[in-house]
Amino acid sequence: MKNFFSLFAAMCCMMVANAQQFVVDNVKYNVTSTEDNTVEVIANVYQGYSGRIKIPAIVVNEGVTYHVTRIGDRAFCDCEDLTSVTLPEGVESIGEEAFECCYGLKSITIPSTVKSIEEEAFYDCEYLASVTLPEGLKTIGEEAFEYCYELSSVTLPEDLENIGEDAFYDCESLTSITIPSSVTSIEGSPFGGCSSLASINVAEGNT
């Protein structure tokens, strides 16, 4: 009898979890708050993601309107045929390993609302050549752009505060970088292995 109730409880938990997830236009979402009606984009393991994808700012499921506020951990991980992604205004964070090993990714549009890019978010996106980071960005996590070999252009925004260890490690095409005066924490060697990096400029007021 005890085993029956344990199995029943487990099934109920699975049903609740599934009820919090849904798919709209081949993009899978997970409800992060039923009070604020917010969702995050998550991995669609049965179909995956490929080509050019534009994530909407809002999605409707069963008559309820949700706001997209996060790209979940590993949401697009290993989507090797993904080439371009546009994220909407309202997204506040890009989760750990969100785009890890997206070898075909060449273009990413990051909205002004993003405050954090978490660990290994773009790890080994080897053909990502340039990225524009929004002015409101506060944190770039550890190894966020590690092994982005083709990344030759990146501008660190004026509001940036934290740069994680190995954040741009082995970005072999990166030639120069400017550290804005807002940065208060640099962990380890975020630009280690950047063999083409000829100059690191530190803004006035930042020692």
Side-chain angles (χ1 to χ4, degrees):
M1 183 64 71
K2 183 178 180 180
N3 289 339
F4 171 78
F5 283 115
S6 296
L7 179 60
F8 180 75
M11 292 178 64
C12 288
C13 289
M14 291 178 61
M15 291 174 64
V16 170
N18 289 334
Q20 299 294 303
Q21 298 178 359
F22 58 88
V23 176
V24 176
D25 294 332
N26 298 324
V27 178
K28 192 170 185 178
Y29 300 91
N30 177 61
V31 177
T32 54
S33 172
T34 54
E35 292 184 2
D36 298 326
N37 287 351
T38 57
V39 294
E40 62 179 354
V41 177
I42 61 174
N44 190 344
V45 295
Y46 296 109
Q47 184 168 345
Y49 301 108
S50 62
R52 302 169 62 89
I53 290 183
K54 183 176 182 179
I55 304 297
I58 59 174
V59 289
V60 179
N61 181 61
E62 296 183 350
V64 180
T65 299
Y66 295 94
H67 297 270
V68 181
T69 59
R70 186 173 189 270
I71 306 302
D73 296 348
R74 300 182 63 81
F76 296 92
C77 183
D78 290 326
C79 292
E80 298 181 10
D81 296 324
L82 188 67
T83 59
S84 172
V85 177
T86 300
L87 305 181
E89 293 292 325
V91 169
E92 297 176 355
S93 65
I94 300 175
E96 295 181 12
E97 304 174 6
F99 294 92
E100 181 177 8
C101 297
C102 289
Y103 300 125
L105 184 64
K106 296 180 179 180
S107 171
I108 178 77
T109 301
I110 302 175
S112 63
T113 49
V114 168
K115 299 292 190 292
S116 67
I117 297 175
E118 298 176 19
E119 295 179 14
E120 300 183 25
F122 295 94
Y123 182 96
D124 210 6
C125 291
E126 56 185 28
Y127 290 111
L128 185 63
S130 67
V131 60
T132 300
L133 301 177
E135 286 301 320
L137 183 67
K138 301 292 185 183
T139 299
I140 300 174
E142 294 181 11
E143 304 176 5
F145 293 93
E146 184 171 357
Y147 300 137
C148 291
Y149 300 119
E150 297 296 318
L151 187 63
S152 60
S153 174
V154 61
T155 301
L156 302 182
E158 290 299 326
D159 290 335
L160 185 66
E161 297 176 355
N162 305 300
I163 303 175
E165 185 172 359
D166 294 338
F168 295 92
Y169 185 87
D170 241 6
C171 291
E172 298 176 344
S173 300
L174 198 62
T175 57
S176 67
I177 196 77
T178 297
I179 309 295
S181 58
S182 56
V183 171
T184 58
S185 173
I186 298 177
E187 300 176 13
S189 301
F191 305 102
C194 295
S195 54
S196 299
L197 190 61
S199 65
I200 298 178
N201 305 305
V202 180
E204 286 187 29
N206 196 331
T207 57

